[in-house]
Amino acid sequence: MKRPLTEGVQDEPLTQKRSRQVSEDEALARRLQTELNEDTQNTKNSAEAIRNFKPSEDKIPQTFRLMKVKGLQPWANTSSVSIADVIQGNVLIAVLSNYMVDIDWLMSACPNLKNIPHVLVVHGESDGRQANMKKQKLGNWIFHKPSLPIAWGTHHSKAMFLVYPEGVRIIVHTANLIYVDWNNKSQGLWMQDFPWKNQDCLNKGSGFETDLIDYLSSLKWPEFSVKLPELGSISFNSSFFKRFDYSSATVRLIGSVPGYHTGSNIKKWGHMKLRSILQDCVFDKEFQNSPLIYQFSSLGSLDEKWMSEFAFSMSSGVSDDKKPLGLGEPLIVWPTVEDIRCSLEGYAAGSCVPSPQKNVEKPFLKKYWAKWKATHTGRCRAIPHIKTFTRYNGQNLAWFLLTSANLSKAAWGALQKNNTQLMIRSYELGVLFLPSSTIHAHAFSCTENRTPSENIHTSSSKTHEEKRTKLVTLSSLHTKKMSDVITLPVPYELPPQLYSSEDVPWSWDRQYKKRDVFGQVWP
């Protein structure tokens, strides 16, 4: 949609306007080319690093994938995925959890949905949009909006749970179910398939299972009856997911659920859940006092007290000598106004980075700003909707979190009442990658001809220190073939560059009169 010209520009003579536009376009092209050349020179070792990212079948569950972006060079989409790569095969039940849902686009992008007997859509849409979705529904589709007991909350989690005759596929990702999110943005996705439990293991659980059932129980969707091969007619509720064997899970789930959480529940959700898991982890000494990255697409109204509380959780854990890792200095990777202006979508991309001036321009935040630079994944101009948090030293990662959670108290929770209560407003879900001492072989698949017996995982017989997997970025010089190295396709470059004095962090309620790549202004 063409936006109105801003005041002052509309009175410009047509010939002058065209001349100015041509010169601006030429200047933009020159600047982009210069930046590209500089990036290539500066990153000779890691330029186009994603070209070499081809995880083997047994390592796919231990990493995550970037989503395909239209308009990029083919190498930039190496090992990237589309929604059709995820929802495939003989799905019996699909639970699609998201914030925004466009049914028309979803059906066109993934026609396989028409053949699934039962589809449950858990969403965060407005009442008006929900009514419209119900008009479009097909067959046995059920729509459910979880309750939001505290004002200003949202159902923001982005996940899929696909039940097959062979098992269940769980996907945690960062994209709304809309066209622009799956085609124009930098996004991430993790998935793993799990087999049905054997009869003698029905009561055996795991940390992953507990996290999952706790989270799904909080959604309180209306139970419905489903008929499944060999099981017959059963009631479909959160307890249904106890039927699968998650012992091979390669991540931990970090969820957020609205409420005032006290007692033992304070450690079940949000940043306190992350803190409780990291506290029990042992990391290499190189991560003592190493820096943190917060990368996301919407900034809440923050203060320095909460930033300290959050950094304390992010800095939890001990090193091999049992000493605490110590506080890490965080940086916020956030697009500048120029990043948005020159993006694949121009200023339109800014509507998906919805943070107002009053949140972005707080003076204490200035020291945190760092640039979105993604030359090695070809995604400099694909504005990030992905959300990631990590602790790193060079190209080595202590841990890595892929999540729906932005940087806000609503998403992560804020401690209250002398740290005895955690208040959370929104539903969120993420996956935490940790160094592991478990070997996973022959990753189980619901859509390929492998039997559950091939899903082997064994604890290392060697010492924890010797066999702990190492998490690294695409730019790591570690030999990718080493069995104890897991490569994570972090889309931005580490360490990030700080903002220069000319860089301005994007906020979506300012006016921008400098025209974007499509000749538009904002708003």
Side-chain angles (χ1 to χ4, degrees):
M1 188 174 76
K2 192 166 169 115
R3 296 189 183 87
L5 291 167
T6 55
E7 186 182 354
V9 177
Q10 58 194 11
D11 300 325
E12 196 175 11
L14 190 60
T15 52
Q16 188 179 333
K17 188 190 299 180
R18 281 179 180 157
S19 173
R20 181 179 52 76
Q21 190 64 57
V22 167
S23 66
E24 281 185 6
D25 288 347
E26 287 175 352
L28 170 64
R30 279 197 301 272
R31 192 178 66 76
L32 289 175
Q33 189 59 51
T34 302
E35 281 187 4
L36 187 64
N37 292 340
E38 285 175 358
D39 285 340
T40 305
Q41 289 300 315
N42 293 338
T43 56
K44 276 185 180 175
N45 292 332
S46 61
E48 302 186 11
I50 198 167
R51 190 193 288 272
N52 301 313
F53 178 61
K54 297 178 177 70
S56 58
E57 285 295 324
D58 59 317
K59 283 196 176 183
I60 283 175
Q62 295 171 274
T63 187
F64 73 96
R65 247 84 80 73
L66 297 174
M67 294 185 191
K68 289 179 180 173
V69 181
K70 285 194 171 180
L72 298 186
Q73 294 291 326
W75 63 262
N77 283 320
T78 302
S79 292
S80 299
V81 291
S82 67
I83 194 166
D85 296 324
V86 177
I87 304 177
Q88 56 174 237
N90 182 23
V91 182
L92 305 174
I93 310 169
V95 180
L96 307 179
S97 168
N98 220 293
Y99 174 46
M100 298 171 67
V101 183
D102 179 343
I103 299 294
D104 288 339
W105 170 79
L106 190 55
M107 299 305 292
S108 65
C110 198
N112 191 30
L113 281 167
K114 294 173 185 171
N115 305 320
I116 299 175
H118 303 277
V119 178
L120 169 64
V121 179
V122 183
H123 66 90
E125 292 281 18
S126 65
D127 292 342
R129 284 277 304 147
Q130 181 173 225
N132 190 47
M133 287 194 300
K134 286 180 176 176
K135 286 179 189 172
Q136 297 172 286
K137 78 171 186 173
L138 297 153
N140 295 326
W141 284 50
I142 294 172
F143 294 89
H144 173 63
K145 183 176 181 177
S147 67
L148 297 166
I150 306 175
W152 312 113
T154 56
H155 176 266
H156 198 249
S157 303
K158 295 166 178 67
M160 303 177 194
F161 307 90
L162 309 178
V163 179
Y164 293 84
E166 298 81 5
V168 67
R169 171 171 294 175
I170 297 180
I171 305 107
V172 176
H173 62 98
T174 62
N176 286 292
L177 292 175
I178 60 177
Y179 174 87
V180 292
D181 272 26
W182 284 84
N183 289 281
N184 300 337
K185 315 282 185 201
S186 292
Q187 304 272 21
L189 173 153
W190 166 88
M191 70 178 184
Q192 186 170 353
D193 293 2
F194 303 96
W196 296 87
K197 281 180 180 173
N198 295 325
Q199 286 301 311
D200 56 349
C201 297
L202 288 177
N203 295 320
K204 284 187 180 177
S206 64
F208 183 95
E209 179 177 309
T210 301
D211 298 340
L212 177 64
I213 303 303
D214 282 348
Y215 178 78
L216 293 179
S217 299
S218 76
L219 299 177
K220 296 184 171 61
W221 70 70
E223 291 188 22
F224 54 94
S225 182
V226 296
K227 281 188 178 179
L228 294 175
E230 299 181 26
L231 289 177
S233 184
I234 61 166
S235 185
F236 187 73
N237 53 30
S238 58
S239 295
F240 170 82
F241 288 89
K242 291 180 180 177
R243 297 171 182 265
F244 303 98
D245 179 2
Y246 304 107
S247 57
S248 63
T250 61
V251 296
R252 288 297 300 267
L253 293 175
I254 307 291
S256 289
V257 167
Y260 297 95
H261 305 291
T262 58
S264 60
N265 286 340
I266 201 170
K267 291 185 175 181
K268 280 174 70 169
W269 309 112
H271 76 77
M272 291 300 291
K273 173 68 171 182
L274 182 64
R275 182 185 297 189
S276 69
I277 291 178
L278 293 180
Q279 278 174 341
D280 293 335
C281 291
V282 178
F283 300 97
D284 291 340
K285 283 184 184 177
E286 67 174 307
F287 297 112
Q288 284 189 322
N289 299 113
S290 65
L292 304 162
I293 294 291
Y294 308 160
Q295 181 274 311
F296 50 92
S297 62
S298 181
L299 182 71
S301 180
L302 305 180
D303 53 69
E304 293 184 79
K305 177 180 176 291
W306 185 82
M307 288 289 278
S308 296
E309 173 186 314
F310 188 68
F312 189 82
S313 289
M314 293 272 157
S315 301
S316 296
V318 298
S319 58
D320 297 317
D321 56 9
K322 305 304 178 192
K323 288 182 181 175
L325 287 185
L327 276 175
E329 286 289 329
L331 287 177
I332 292 174
V333 173
W334 181 261
T336 64
V337 175
E338 278 295 281
D339 289 332
I340 300 285
R341 190 179 75 84
C342 299
S343 71
L344 294 171
E345 303 167 89
Y347 283 129
S351 63
C352 295
V353 189
S355 292
Q357 279 177 264
K358 67 181 180 63
N359 292 358
V360 172
E361 296 185 1
K362 291 182 176 178
F364 82 90
L365 289 172
K366 279 188 177 178
K367 61 180 176 288
Y368 296 114
W369 297 124
K371 296 184 181 186
W372 169 261
K373 295 274 283 182
T375 311
H376 67 307
T377 57
R379 282 165 171 75
C380 286
R381 298 183 64 216
I383 292 302
H385 190 265
I386 190 174
K387 290 95 170 140
T388 63
F389 296 80
T390 189
R391 184 164 209 170
Y392 73 98
N393 183 353
Q395 303 307 316
N396 297 334
L397 308 173
W399 51 265
F400 184 86
L401 180 70
L402 177 74
T403 178
S404 64
N406 287 299
L407 192 66
S408 70
K409 297 177 185 179
W412 285 100
L415 289 169
Q416 301 174 333
K417 297 188 176 178
N418 202 24
N419 298 342
T420 62
Q421 176 174 287
L422 184 70
M423 189 273 278
I424 298 177
R425 298 179 189 270
S426 297
Y427 295 89
E428 306 284 358
L429 195 62
V431 284
L432 176 66
F433 296 87
L434 291 162
S436 167
S437 57
T438 303
I439 301 166
H440 298 274
H442 304 292
F444 169 73
S445 173
C446 290
T447 54
E448 293 175 24
N449 295 322
R450 298 185 209 150
T451 62
S453 62
E454 288 180 303
N455 183 43
I456 303 164
H457 73 285
T458 55
S459 290
S460 164
S461 58
K462 298 188 180 181
T463 66
H464 192 67
E465 288 76 17
E466 285 177 325
K467 284 305 296 178
R468 192 162 58 223
T469 53
K470 194 179 191 73
L471 304 177
V472 301
T473 72
L474 290 170
S475 300
S476 169
L477 298 178
H478 282 278
T479 307
K480 302 295 190 291
K481 292 177 182 174
M482 288 169 60
S483 62
D484 60 343
V485 171
I486 304 298
T487 304
L488 300 178
V490 181
Y492 46 89
E493 292 158 24
L494 292 177
Q497 295 178 25
L498 292 171
Y499 273 28
S500 71
S501 56
E502 284 79 41
D503 290 318
V504 178
W506 169 262
S507 51
W508 77 334
D509 58 349
R510 287 182 60 155
Q511 275 199 342
Y512 303 106
K513 296 186 179 183
K514 190 176 181 182
R515 294 181 181 277
D516 69 10
V517 290
F518 298 106
Q520 299 294 323
V521 294
W522 182 267

